[in-house]
Amino acid sequence: MRKTKVLVGLLSTAVLLAACGNEGDAAAPSGSAAEAAEQVVRYTAPTELATLDTALMTDINSANYGGHIIEGLLRIDADGKPVPAIAAEEGTISEDGLTYTYRLREDAQWSNSTPVTAHDFVFAMQKLVNPDTGAAYSYLTETIVNAPEIMAGEKEPSELGVTANGDYEITFQLSQPTPYFEYLLAFSPFFPQNQEFVEEQGDRYGTSSDTVLANGPFTLENWDGTGLTWDLVKNENYYAADEVQLDEVNVQVIKETSTALNLFESGQVDNAHLTGQLVKQYADNEHLVVQPKARTAYVEFNWDNEYLQNDKLREALGLVINTEDLVNTILGDGSTEIGGFLPEDFVSSPVDGTDFAEEAGDFLEYDVERAQQLWDEAKAELGVGAITLSLVGDDDEKNKTISQYIQGQIQNNLPGVTVELRNVPKKNRLALADADEFDLLQTGWGADFADASNFMDLMYSESPYNEGGYANEEFDALIESAKSTNANNEEARWENLQDAHDILEEDYAFIPLYQEAESQLRNPAVKGILFRSVGNEFDLSRASVESE
């Protein structure tokens, strides 16, 4: 999302595929939740909220709903491009790409009626880089002047190169050109926070709907920090409140597909996520929509596990997972096989337009015979006849099904390997990942901005998202080169990132599972939902309910 046009073929906003269907395949939501054009949508979510503190958000569900209540300088429009939000107009970017200056609109307010100012952004950015915050996304600030030194504890947060020029102008000073910087300004860690309110709340900030302020189209109400329901309520203090048609979005977490389907068919909710056989069953239904995502699902290894340090074992584990069967038989929701770390149709070569994923090629194709040979060799090298590995994943129906499939594929094809499943709520899974309490981690990454580095940085040895502790000096050097020496050389930077991907493949550093798509039944009376393949996945701020 950058004004300086480096790298990138954005995935276009996800196209909704709605097939003409046979009546009776799914009951049309007559007498639905949207009856009589009441401007209330009853929406289902797959997982809980983890936090509403934008500095600490790491999961997509929290970001999706956080993005409805808090806006940054920029937001992502229907074409996948950054456009002004709290910024009054497009920013001014210096010729050397090191200085970004924005004027703020003067009619933006927090939900407590205080103005949104440049100081709110400066406070939030200083909080993000402060090592005491422990923000996983702080690394995204590394090209802002003094950010690396602040994160290392060598300088004070007040020395960050983000300056308020009065109440309604802000300047970002970079240490090196950052082609995707404007994308970052539309990303939740770069959103503002009201200093007085945050300091008043202390450690409670963002832990419930009562401990956060909104400056976006909605406020978030009735969330106690752990519950499975919450409400988005139209924010009358929003600068564009006249463009917001919905009065409320009542959200409930539903992890069982059959439960969501029953509620949809009885008109009690306006959407239902489908997986597996249900997607096939409703494939011709007129209410089905399929949303492609720039999101990779994969298995991460814990490199502290002495067994998993064996490259033959890691390769064997990957070779026995039949991803074709996984996406077509087990999931059946439009998700597709993936050959590497990056999704397809995400970024393309600055030289010839070749897709990154296509150029990187495939690895770990399904090959049980080869896997069993490698497992025999690994046993001899490790001096064991059997091992037990834990697999940690989320506890929603889809992820539990995937966990069981992975367990079966490994145990059935590699005699002597036992996989113990631990499926927990997402908030707990994130905590277990941070604490390195896993052997195999069933995880994924959705693109926050349209640049290959958004994925490749995950495996950098010092990345907070490298939960498994993968480390390769040559890989790190290539990532560092792409960020510094070749930051302004599109072709050389592309080669750095491709070479780094080759190293991940050579090291069998992860197991690719699939590129995610999401299938939902949706009430046709709900119009105008914006879906994105990059960044926050959906936007209800300009949606409405129409009577039939």
Side-chain angles (χ1 to χ4, degrees):
M1 308 163 191
R2 10 193 116 95
K3 214 169 248 181
T4 30
K5 305 176 176 83
V6 171
L7 261 185
V8 316
L10 268 178
L11 265 173
S12 59
T13 300
V15 178
L16 305 184
L17 305 176
C20 293
N22 299 321
E23 293 185 7
D25 282 354
S30 58
S32 72
E35 189 173 23
E38 178 188 20
Q39 294 303 311
V40 175
V41 170
R42 294 169 175 83
Y43 214 68
T44 65
T47 60
E48 306 90 339
L49 295 176
T51 182
L52 292 177
D53 185 340
T54 52
L56 299 178
M57 286 178 183
T58 59
D59 68 294
I60 187 61
N61 199 51
S62 296
N64 282 338
Y65 287 96
H68 281 82
I69 67 172
I70 304 176
E71 280 195 342
L73 284 169
L74 306 179
R75 62 180 177 83
I76 303 302
D77 69 5
D79 296 320
K81 298 179 180 179
V83 296
I86 301 300
E89 57 195 16
E90 292 186 0
T92 301
I93 304 173
S94 63
E95 188 173 343
D96 61 7
L98 297 179
T99 305
Y100 289 67
T101 302
Y102 295 87
R103 285 287 303 170
L104 275 64
R105 57 189 314 134
E106 299 186 21
D107 56 348
Q109 294 185 353
W110 293 103
S111 48
N112 65 355
S113 299
T114 58
V116 179
T117 70
H119 306 288
D120 296 324
F121 286 91
V122 172
F123 169 73
M125 293 301 300
Q126 291 180 0
K127 174 181 173 180
L128 182 65
V129 298
N130 190 328
D132 291 340
T133 302
Y137 270 122
S138 61
Y139 76 95
L140 292 177
T141 68
E142 61 191 355
T143 61
I144 299 177
V145 166
N146 292 331
E149 293 82 1
I150 296 168
M151 290 186 286
E154 298 167 0
K155 290 188 176 182
E156 294 299 315
S158 59
E159 298 178 78
L160 184 68
V162 182
T163 307
N165 312 315
D167 287 342
Y168 295 106
E169 185 176 277
I170 189 168
T171 296
F172 297 84
Q173 191 66 45
L174 307 186
S175 57
Q176 64 188 52
T178 306
Y180 48 85
F181 190 69
E182 286 203 302
Y183 288 93
L184 298 181
L185 296 180
F187 185 36
S188 54
F190 288 69
F191 287 0
Q193 294 188 2
N194 183 288
Q195 181 173 0
E196 181 179 358
F197 183 85
V198 172
E199 292 178 345
E200 177 184 297
Q201 298 301 321
D203 291 341
R204 297 182 304 142
Y205 178 73
T207 60
S208 70
S209 54
D210 294 331
T211 60
V212 68
L213 288 182
N215 72 346
F218 298 96
T219 61
L220 193 141
E221 311 291 344
N222 302 317
W223 179 60
D224 64 6
T226 59
L228 301 181
T229 60
W230 57 86
D231 301 318
L232 295 176
V233 179
K234 181 176 179 179
N235 181 8
E236 297 298 343
N237 285 344
Y238 181 51
Y239 64 84
D242 59 339
E243 298 178 20
V244 179
Q245 302 301 309
L246 296 179
D247 294 318
E248 287 188 24
V249 180
N250 305 137
V251 185
Q252 59 179 308
V253 175
I254 301 178
K255 298 182 180 183
E256 299 297 327
T257 304
S258 58
T259 301
L261 178 59
N262 289 336
L263 290 173
F264 178 82
E265 291 187 329
S266 63
Q268 297 180 64
V269 297
D270 291 311
N271 72 313
H273 298 263
L274 300 183
T275 59
Q277 292 301 316
L278 286 174
V279 178
K280 298 176 182 178
Q281 181 178 340
Y282 289 95
D284 295 327
N285 188 272
E286 61 183 338
H287 303 305
L288 182 70
V289 294
V290 179
Q291 298 154 211
K293 299 181 180 183
R295 182 174 180 83
T296 300
Y298 60 98
V299 172
E300 190 170 357
F301 299 112
N302 189 333
W303 291 71
D304 287 336
N305 182 301
E306 61 176 323
Y307 303 135
L308 293 173
Q309 293 172 14
N310 185 285
D311 57 352
K312 292 178 180 177
L313 173 60
R314 295 194 307 277
E315 184 180 1
L317 292 171
L319 289 174
V320 296
I321 299 175
N322 186 339
T323 54
E324 180 181 5
D325 186 47
L326 174 63
V327 298
N328 293 326
T329 304
I330 305 303
L331 296 179
D333 59 359
S335 296
T336 55
E337 286 188 87
I338 191 166
F341 203 38
L342 270 68
E344 294 183 353
D345 299 323
F346 174 49
V347 289
S348 55
S349 167
V351 177
D352 59 11
T354 302
D355 184 84
F356 189 102
E358 179 182 349
E359 185 171 327
D362 297 341
F363 81 118
L364 286 178
E365 295 183 359
Y366 181 60
D367 189 336
V368 173
E369 183 177 350
R370 169 67 175 158
Q372 291 173 342
Q373 176 185 341
L374 288 167
W375 170 226
D376 287 339
E377 294 174 6
K379 285 187 290 186
E381 292 177 4
L382 293 168
V384 298
I387 62 173
T388 298
L389 301 172
S390 66
L391 172 61
V392 171
D394 293 350
D395 69 344
D396 60 280
E397 183 177 348
K398 177 178 178 179
N399 279 289
K400 285 196 293 186
T401 300
I402 295 169
S403 296
Q404 292 162 5
Y405 182 77
I406 293 172
Q407 178 190 49
Q409 290 289 102
I410 293 174
Q411 292 185 163
N412 292 338
N413 293 309
L414 299 178
V417 181
T418 299
V419 177
E420 296 180 345
L421 300 185
R422 189 174 182 186
N423 291 93
V424 297
K426 174 170 274 190
K427 193 172 185 177
N428 300 74
R429 192 262 292 171
L430 294 171
L432 290 172
D434 288 341
D436 295 331
E437 294 183 16
F438 66 90
D439 297 321
L440 305 174
L441 182 67
Q442 185 180 320
T443 186
W445 187 262
D448 300 314
F449 53 91
D451 191 282
S453 66
N454 189 217
F455 282 84
M456 299 301 294
D457 282 355
L458 302 177
M459 302 303 284
Y460 184 74
S461 61
E462 299 300 318
S463 169
Y465 294 100
N466 182 2
E467 290 101 345
Y470 170 76
N472 181 301
E473 291 182 1
E474 186 179 358
F475 176 88
D476 281 359
L478 288 165
I479 296 301
E480 290 164 3
S481 179
K483 290 175 177 291
S484 54
T485 307
N486 294 323
N488 245 8
N489 183 330
E490 295 182 9
E491 184 174 352
R493 185 171 183 268
W494 180 266
E495 291 177 1
N496 286 159
L497 294 170
Q498 281 287 343
D499 289 344
H501 193 279
D502 288 344
I503 292 173
L504 293 182
E505 294 187 355
E506 292 165 4
D507 285 348
Y508 305 103
F510 65 99
I511 301 175
L513 294 177
Y514 59 91
Q515 179 171 343
E516 188 172 345
E518 182 177 272
S519 294
Q520 292 188 25
L521 293 174
R522 185 166 302 115
N523 184 351
V526 181
K527 308 290 186 182
I529 303 177
L530 172 63
F531 293 98
R532 306 183 183 99
S533 57
V534 175
N536 292 352
E537 295 175 324
F538 61 91
D539 183 351
L540 295 157
S541 67
R542 303 306 189 269
S544 63
V545 179
E546 297 182 5
S547 56
E548 298 183 14

